[in-house]
Amino acid sequence: MDYNFKDIEKKWQQYWREHHTYKCDVDANRPKFYVLDMFPYPSGAGLHVGHPLGYIASDIFARYKRLKGFNVLHPMGYDAYGLPAEQYAIQTGQHPEITTNQNIARYRDQLDKLGFCYDWNREVRTCDPKYYKWTQWAFLQMFKSYYNTKLDKARPIDELVAHFEKHGTKDCNAHTTSSDEFTADEWNNMTQVQCNDVLMNYRIAYLGNTMVNWCPKLGTVLANDEVSEGVSVRGGFPVEQKMMRQWCIRVSAYAGRLLRDLENVEWTESIKETQRNWIGYSEGAEVTFPIADSDKSLLIFTTRADTIFGVTFMVLAPESMYVDEVVTSEQRAAVDAYLDEVKHKTERERMIEKKVSGVFTGSYAVNPITGKNIPIYISDYVLAGYGTGAIMAVPAHDSRDYAFAKHFNLPIIPLIEGADVSEESFDAKEGIMINSSNERLQLNGLNVKEAIARTKQYIEESGIGHVKVNYRLRDAIFSRQRYWGEPFPIYYDENNQPQPLDENELPLVLPEVDKFLPTETGEPPLGRAKNWVTADGHPLELNTMPGFAGSSAYYLRYMDPHNDEALVSHEANDYWRQVDLYVGGTEHATGHLIYSRFWNKFLYDYGYICELEPFRKLVNQGMIQGRSNFVYRIKDTNTFVSLNLKDKYDVTPIHVDVNIVDKDALDIEAFRNWRPDFENAEFILENGKYICGWAIEKMSKSMFNVVNPDDIVDRYGADTLRLYEMFLGPVEASKPWDTNGIDGVNRFLKRLWGLFFKDDTMQLTDEKPSAEALKSVHKLIKKVTGDIESFSYNTSVAAFMICVNELLSMKCRSREIYEPLVILLAPFAPHIAEELWHVLGHDTTVCDAQWPTWNEDYLKESVVNYGVSFNGKSRYTIEVPADADEEEIKRLALADAGAERWLAGKEPKKIIFVKGKLVNIVV
RNA sequence: GCGCCUGUGGCGAAAUUGGUAGACGCGCCAGACUUAGGAUCUGGUAACUCCGGUUGUGUAGGUUCGAGUCCUAUCAGGCGCACCA
């Protein structure tokens, strides 16, 4: 009986399903372990061979933890809302739900074939009303909250209202988008509508006028992480800046905590660094510059307070709210013309041009330290969204200010000794200050670091400003003008004021529409829905939520997926707590992983959940690239020439489907049948074969290099695929897929099978295993245990191969030996392990076995080889008894015939005995 | 420009964390069994070599009895951020 993976895999997959082998529940008597994969967006293309890499790695870990006695939560679900399904719906008129369900069915089918140990009872789909009820619920909580900067957490907005009633904005400690201040009296005299408008500036989920990334082609706004280099990440369409009233989430209030708590998670340094970059901490000062001949002033942010003596002009962002305050009537026309010009430039155009532009406002500001008047300009190199949207320009020590100053012929005052600013600015934060003292502040002679500190101190003391930390992280824009997303649980009252739906009206189910396009009047697709109103006739919000809404708390929902009373019960959350191991790609570093952490912290603030961070350990699996194959057609013929002969001809390389190529040899018949124009193809062969060329490229349909896991499973079985994907290299590394090596892994499984069966007879006996065999297996136990803990699956697979080869050459047939071996193999190749487990006489699943431990006694050797080196250069090997002490080994090393030759009569200076089974003799 | 990561055979990669570099697999070479092999099995496979050895982990230095591993500089590739004041 040969190793028949087809029957075995089918049989055990069915067994696991029927026995609910992977179902898990809260069990206070057992320690828990939560292993999670980033849930996929079910695209129409299905899985390719790269997708399961992370799933296999996490599956191995989940199975291992279970064998170690942990109660393992290992769920899977679908991030089902998304653009491709909607785009497809627009083209075909088919409801995105239909496409999505088809794709999910396909994914499920593909995943099932790979033998994962998911508890499918816990599956979630973001587009399921039972699921998105809790997405909407969380949004409502955010709507009803503000961020208290003193307590550093979210609090009910009612508490803020109570504060306003008593004290106005004084000491309210609220994170806000507005700079307006008011007294209790003013607040109490406001109308309800006015109050609501004011509160909107404080809510964690708020409706705000913000500059958004507007993608005309997609007809929607996008979050910052959905835009890259001025085009949309999905689709690659141009994105422009536009002022719009949109739902936003006050993620920026959590910037400090998002940054700080990175210390406490086990993520790779590069992902943490990416997040730190994205959050963008910078410590500086806000300083007020009065406007000359006016009672108004400009508030600016700077990290270079030390350069305040070199400020020769001020610059406002074109969108700055200061613009209208400072433009003089003489300059009005020029400013308007400039603003108009800027507005019509897309983000992309601004980036590409990079040319200096700007306009004088006509007003002057007063430098609060020197008292000098300096002109105020407007330029698009200043960003409205960062700091205060206004800067003090120090051309001598900032390259952007320098370029601007040169262009407009503004003075440049060097402030650092030895800095030559005739050609370029001196941006480095080092050197000794000059030109920086007067009766108020003396910086001359200090170094830059001291000067910054001194200036900050002065700014605080003199009241012209204050020390301030700024973050680059912006609030997340939360509205999408799309159909296929979660509806907002918001309606608009008589005054067109947004109001929250009552929680018991959730879920607010996505309505049907006749088309998935915006309305004729330009409203989002939900504008087409009939009766899209509350019970008492108020219109409902027409926007839907973005993709990250549904994916931000799904890991919590898995803990308690069928609960209709809460997102997650306290009981379930207290038990499962947080994800212990999260596996997924790096592409979510600035999106999902920030939003999830924010969402988690918000829920934590209210005590809905018990952990500060959602994902304790994060492993990023690498991307699997494609390995394309080429055939070489001789120009203007239908003749193809093999790789190593192609240089003799004038050829064009043509991508050929990798599925009709094996070890770079082309299946000529299959090629002729592949496409009609190759039907009569002729070939120039080498050694009777047609050898294809190859290249590493992205795996994509157009390169014909997509390898479908279904095909591999069909040909080699899921166990071989699982082992091979792990054997390919470290899980974290990106690497090309190359089916060529898979035979080696497949052979290993066949050999293992051959240890159990010869022809149809079971070979195992009850004889006692030899010391050699015990050593081999216990070495394996030790190695594999260590490898799994450290995620080095590739070396584990190698260790299995070595062990099986050793047992094979020992002709070991002892049943006792194979018990632990099969358990070790179970995480990697669950089907064959399950089969062999039953062959060994067990009638329960191998998933419930106990992970073996190794016995050091078996690993001891009777004779040990030691290398002997002279001055670190390896020379010869000696054999010593295993129980020899250091002195004895040194003596034997010197006594060896080789030593005489290398010492050449000299006395050794010293002899170093090292753990790596090496004796080093220094001469 | 700033930050992070990675450089080891023909290829994917190992290396007990400072201790005999190249485990394991692919490929290749030779052999065995076969009517046949895109099956299976056995042996070999870093380079050079006067067969004693010598040289080898991107490059150049340094620390050390000893460096793929640590330090300094440099080159190359990948990723992230990028008018963030």
Side-chain angles (χ1 to χ4, degrees):
Chain A
M1 183 168 65
D2 285 338
Y3 165 46
N4 184 341
F5 58 84
K6 278 199 175 146
D7 290 353
I8 291 172
E9 292 180 0
K10 206 172 141 201
K11 174 167 132 199
W12 294 113
Q13 282 169 13
Q14 193 182 342
Y15 174 95
W16 295 327
R17 200 163 35 240
E18 283 167 5
H19 289 76
H20 304 286
T21 305
Y22 304 126
K23 193 172 182 315
C24 76
D25 285 300
V26 168
D27 177 357
N29 297 317
R30 278 196 298 161
K32 68 94 189 187
F33 201 89
Y34 187 178
V35 183
L36 183 63
D37 295 297
M38 289 185 186
F39 64 167
Y41 173 77
S43 82
L47 292 173
H48 69 60
V49 101
H51 295 114
L53 183 73
Y55 304 156
I56 296 169
S58 63
D59 196 66
I60 290 171
F61 207 83
R63 287 173 178 276
Y64 164 74
K65 277 289 175 183
R66 176 167 172 172
L67 291 165
K68 290 281 275 184
F70 287 84
N71 187 20
V72 174
L73 175 57
H74 189 219
M76 184 44 109
Y78 305 97
D79 186 13
Y81 277 133
L83 267 171
E86 179 152 350
Q87 298 285 67
Y88 189 74
I90 291 169
Q91 285 161 21
T92 62
Q94 191 173 44
H95 198 289
E97 188 170 2
I98 298 172
T99 341
T100 303
N101 285 340
Q102 283 169 355
N103 291 347
I104 286 177
R106 169 99 191 278
Y107 264 63
R108 176 65 192 272
D109 190 50
Q110 288 188 294
L111 290 171
D112 278 348
K113 283 185 185 166
L114 294 170
F116 294 129
C117 63
Y118 295 126
D119 177 1
W120 285 104
N121 293 310
R122 293 175 180 264
E123 179 193 309
V124 300
R125 297 178 185 193
T126 53
C127 65
D128 177 355
K130 287 189 163 173
Y131 176 87
Y132 67 66
K133 173 180 178 178
W134 299 105
T135 312
Q136 293 172 333
W137 170 83
F139 176 84
L140 280 185
Q141 309 312 307
M142 293 178 198
F143 180 79
K144 294 179 198 166
S145 299
Y146 81 108
Y147 197 82
N148 186 309
T149 51
K150 191 163 181 196
L151 301 173
D152 214 5
K153 62 173 171 173
R155 296 299 303 161
I157 193 107
D158 297 345
E159 290 182 8
L160 185 64
V161 171
H163 184 98
F164 284 166
E165 284 166 359
K166 279 195 191 134
H167 315 286
T169 48
K170 192 173 190 313
D171 297 327
C172 70
N173 296 313
H175 194 280
T176 177
T177 347
S178 156
S179 55
D180 295 345
E181 291 180 9
F182 49 82
T183 62
D185 279 350
E186 284 169 326
W187 169 263
N188 292 326
N189 286 325
M190 285 183 200
T191 65
Q192 191 56 47
V193 170
Q194 286 170 322
C195 289
N196 282 343
D197 281 344
V198 168
L199 289 178
M200 200 49 99
N201 296 323
Y202 292 86
R203 295 180 191 277
I204 288 186
Y206 64 96
L207 202 48
N209 289 314
T210 47
M211 209 40 103
V212 297
N213 303 302
W214 171 254
C215 181
K217 194 84 191 222
L218 291 172
T220 186
V221 303
L222 297 169
N224 282 341
D225 69 282
E226 293 169 319
V227 181
S228 177
E229 296 183 7
V231 298
S232 64
V233 171
R234 283 212 182 258
F237 305 117
V239 171
E240 50 192 63
Q241 300 298 297
K242 196 172 166 183
M243 192 61 105
M244 282 178 84
R245 193 155 175 82
Q246 297 286 316
W247 285 103
C248 302
I249 302 282
R250 200 174 294 279
V251 184
S252 60
Y254 284 78
R257 288 165 66 188
L258 288 170
L259 186 67
R260 208 180 322 129
D261 292 344
L262 280 175
E263 304 286 325
N264 305 321
V265 291
E266 292 173 48
W267 297 9
T268 60
E269 207 36 55
S270 73
I271 285 267
K272 285 192 193 181
E273 198 56 32
T274 303
Q275 291 223 339
R276 287 188 198 111
N277 267 334
W278 192 258
I279 296 167
Y281 176 92
S282 76
E283 215 176 65
E286 279 187 350
V287 183
T288 306
F289 281 64
I291 295 169
D293 310 319
S294 160
D295 54 356
K296 296 187 177 120
S297 59
L298 293 180
L299 186 67
I300 59 94
F301 175 76
T302 181
T303 53
R304 292 297 301 273
D306 58 306
T307 60
I308 197 154
F309 285 90
V311 179
T312 53
F313 57 101
M314 310 289 286
V315 191
L316 307 177
E319 302 85 2
S320 165
M321 57 192 177
Y322 290 125
V323 167
D324 283 337
E325 293 182 13
V326 300
V327 175
T328 59
S329 45
E330 304 87 73
Q331 288 295 321
R332 189 82 245 178
V335 168
D336 284 348
Y338 180 69
L339 295 183
D340 199 51
E341 183 195 325
V342 170
K343 203 160 70 185
H344 286 99
K345 277 198 275 183
T346 65
E347 174 107 329
R348 179 147 228 207
E349 283 163 349
R350 273 204 205 182
M351 275 185 345
I352 291 168
E353 281 182 14
K354 273 203 168 175
K355 90 175 185 234
V356 180
S357 72
V359 64
F360 178 46
T361 60
S363 292
Y364 291 82
V366 182
N367 185 322
I369 305 279
T370 64
K372 279 187 199 147
N373 278 12
I374 47 179
I376 305 171
Y377 282 78
I378 297 170
S379 174
D380 66 359
Y381 82 89
V382 175
L383 304 176
Y386 185 74
T388 60
I391 60 153
M392 61 178 218
V394 186
H397 302 289
D398 183 289
S399 52
R400 297 153 300 179
D401 297 344
Y402 188 87
F404 194 87
K406 280 277 172 186
H407 189 260
F408 286 93
N409 241 328
L410 295 159
I412 298 167
I413 309 170
L415 303 170
I416 292 174
E417 205 171 74
D420 173 14
V421 296
S422 58
E423 290 301 322
E424 55 179 359
S425 61
F426 181 83
D427 290 18
K429 288 188 186 181
E430 57 194 33
I432 303 297
M433 305 301 297
I434 53 168
N435 300 333
S436 298
S437 289
N438 65 13
E439 65 285 356
R440 294 188 202 170
L441 179 62
Q442 299 80 39
L443 302 178
N444 285 349
L446 299 178
N447 69 36
V448 169
K449 222 174 153 189
E450 293 160 348
I452 292 176
R454 176 74 194 90
T455 316
K456 277 186 182 167
Q457 189 195 351
Y458 177 80
I459 287 169
E460 285 280 347
E461 284 167 6
S462 64
I464 61 168
H466 52 269
V467 171
K468 164 105 190 203
V469 168
N470 246 320
Y471 295 97
R472 211 171 58 86
L473 185 70
R474 312 289 167 82
D475 288 345
I477 293 164
F478 206 63
S479 307
R480 294 292 180 277
Q481 292 68 44
R482 308 218 63 93
Y483 173 73
W484 192 228
E486 300 88 348
F488 282 84
I490 292 286
Y491 68 92
Y492 290 86
D493 66 13
E494 306 64 33
N495 301 312
N496 202 26
Q497 295 257 304
Q499 299 292 348
L501 280 188
D502 200 277
E503 277 177 30
N504 59 34
E505 291 180 67
L506 301 183
L508 175 63
V509 178
L510 186 66
E512 294 301 320
V513 293
D514 58 345
K515 273 193 232 166
F516 305 100
L517 287 167
T519 64
E520 279 68 30
T521 54
E523 288 188 313
L526 290 193
R528 295 175 173 275
K530 296 205 176 78
N531 294 321
W532 187 235
V533 291
T534 59
D536 47 3
H538 288 116
L540 287 157
E541 170 69 54
L542 298 182
N543 285 293
T544 54
M545 297 186 194
F548 66 82
S551 59
S552 289
Y554 76 110
Y555 60 93
L556 292 169
R557 190 60 181 165
Y558 280 135
M559 295 174 184
D560 198 5
H562 308 298
N563 190 337
D564 284 331
E565 304 300 314
L567 167 63
V568 52
S569 71
H570 279 289
E571 190 209 2
N573 184 249
D574 281 347
Y575 182 71
W576 299 112
R577 305 193 74 83
Q578 66 177 161
V579 177
D580 295 291
L581 175 68
Y582 197 31
V583 180
T586 51
E587 66 273 19
H588 297 110
T590 53
H592 165 61
L593 287 174
I594 291 262
Y595 297 127
S596 264
R597 294 181 61 221
F598 153 76
W599 209 281
N600 188 89
K601 286 176 193 301
F602 173 77
L603 296 173
Y604 175 87
D605 287 349
Y606 277 107
Y608 291 120
I609 57 169
C610 61
E611 289 281 352
L612 264 169
E613 283 288 330
F615 315 117
R616 187 165 61 79
K617 185 181 165 87
L618 174 69
V619 170
N620 298 112
Q621 92 270 18
M623 287 246 282
I624 300 245
Q625 295 135 299
R627 187 178 186 276
S628 313
N629 275 115
F630 300 95
V631 290
Y632 301 94
R633 175 168 24 199
I634 300 174
K635 280 226 168 101
D636 306 320
T637 70
N638 207 7
T639 302
F640 297 83
V641 57
S642 189
L643 175 68
N644 298 303
L645 304 172
K646 75 173 165 50
D647 293 344
K648 296 179 189 157
Y649 304 86
D650 185 10
V651 295
T652 346
I654 299 171
H655 275 98
V656 61
D657 189 343
V658 293
N659 294 298
I660 58 170
V661 177
D662 190 34
K663 295 199 178 91
D664 289 340
L666 181 69
D667 180 335
I668 287 171
E669 269 320 295
F671 181 73
R672 285 192 173 123
N673 294 330
W674 183 41
R675 293 213 310 229
D677 43 327
F678 298 145
E679 203 180 339
N680 301 311
E682 298 292 324
F683 300 90
I684 299 174
L685 307 179
E686 51 181 305
N687 304 326
K689 285 184 197 167
Y690 187 96
I691 305 296
C692 300
W694 59 272
I696 303 305
E697 297 171 306
K698 203 183 149 190
M699 206 174 266
S700 93
K701 270 185 182 170
S702 61
M703 317 264 198
F704 301 106
N705 60 4
V706 175
V707 181
N708 187 322
D710 300 356
D711 296 338
I712 305 284
V713 168
D714 219 44
R715 189 161 162 200
Y716 296 98
D719 286 337
T720 298
L721 176 64
R722 290 171 61 111
L723 280 168
Y724 183 57
E725 292 224 6
M726 294 301 102
F727 186 62
L728 223 43
V731 178
E732 297 91 335
S734 285
K735 58 231 154 191
W737 175 262
D738 181 1
T739 311
N740 287 344
I742 201 167
D743 287 316
V745 171
N746 191 236
R747 261 195 291 273
F748 154 71
L749 287 181
K750 285 185 194 162
R751 272 192 217 125
L752 174 67
W753 186 261
L755 280 164
F756 281 64
F757 290 101
K758 192 168 183 196
D759 301 322
D760 271 344
T761 339
M762 216 269 277
Q763 298 286 297
L764 300 190
T765 65
D766 287 325
E767 70 185 301
K768 277 282 150 202
S770 66
E772 235 186 338
L774 280 169
K775 186 175 151 194
S776 180
V777 166
H778 281 250
K779 218 162 68 185
L780 182 70
I781 299 171
K782 189 174 180 177
K783 173 79 178 145
V784 171
T785 306
D787 279 352
I788 294 184
E789 296 277 0
S790 62
F791 256 77
S792 310
Y793 299 139
N794 53 335
T795 50
S796 275
V797 179
F800 275 114
M801 292 179 177
I802 294 168
C803 180
V804 164
N805 280 346
E806 281 173 1
L807 295 176
L808 213 52
S809 68
M810 289 171 208
K811 298 198 166 48
C812 170
R813 301 293 174 201
S814 163
R815 187 185 299 270
E816 194 183 322
I817 282 296
Y818 292 101
E819 288 265 341
L821 189 119
V822 166
I823 302 171
L824 291 179
L825 189 66
F828 295 86
H831 309 87
I832 189 173
E834 189 78 87
E835 175 74 19
L836 295 177
W837 185 245
H838 285 75
V839 167
L840 284 166
H842 300 275
D843 51 12
T844 54
T845 171
V846 70
C847 302
D848 288 332
Q850 200 187 353
W851 190 256
T853 49
W854 67 94
N855 184 337
E856 284 288 346
D857 288 343
Y858 294 140
L859 300 181
K860 281 188 189 148
E861 310 189 21
S862 58
V863 180
V864 186
N865 283 327
Y866 270 80
V868 182
S869 73
F870 287 81
N871 294 338
K873 297 274 181 204
S874 141
R875 299 301 182 194
Y876 57 90
T877 306
I878 54 167
E879 224 175 51
V880 301
D883 54 0
D885 62 8
E886 285 190 26
E887 286 311 310
E888 174 74 358
I889 294 166
K890 286 178 186 172
R891 198 185 59 75
L892 288 168
L894 278 175
D896 191 275
E900 215 170 302
R901 213 167 89 218
W902 296 108
L903 278 171
K906 276 180 275 182
E907 278 300 306
K909 278 190 195 139
K910 59 178 167 176
I911 302 177
I912 300 159
F913 180 80
V914 284
K915 59 181 170 171
K917 288 182 185 164
L918 183 71
V919 178
N920 189 25
I921 299 169
V922 184
V923 285

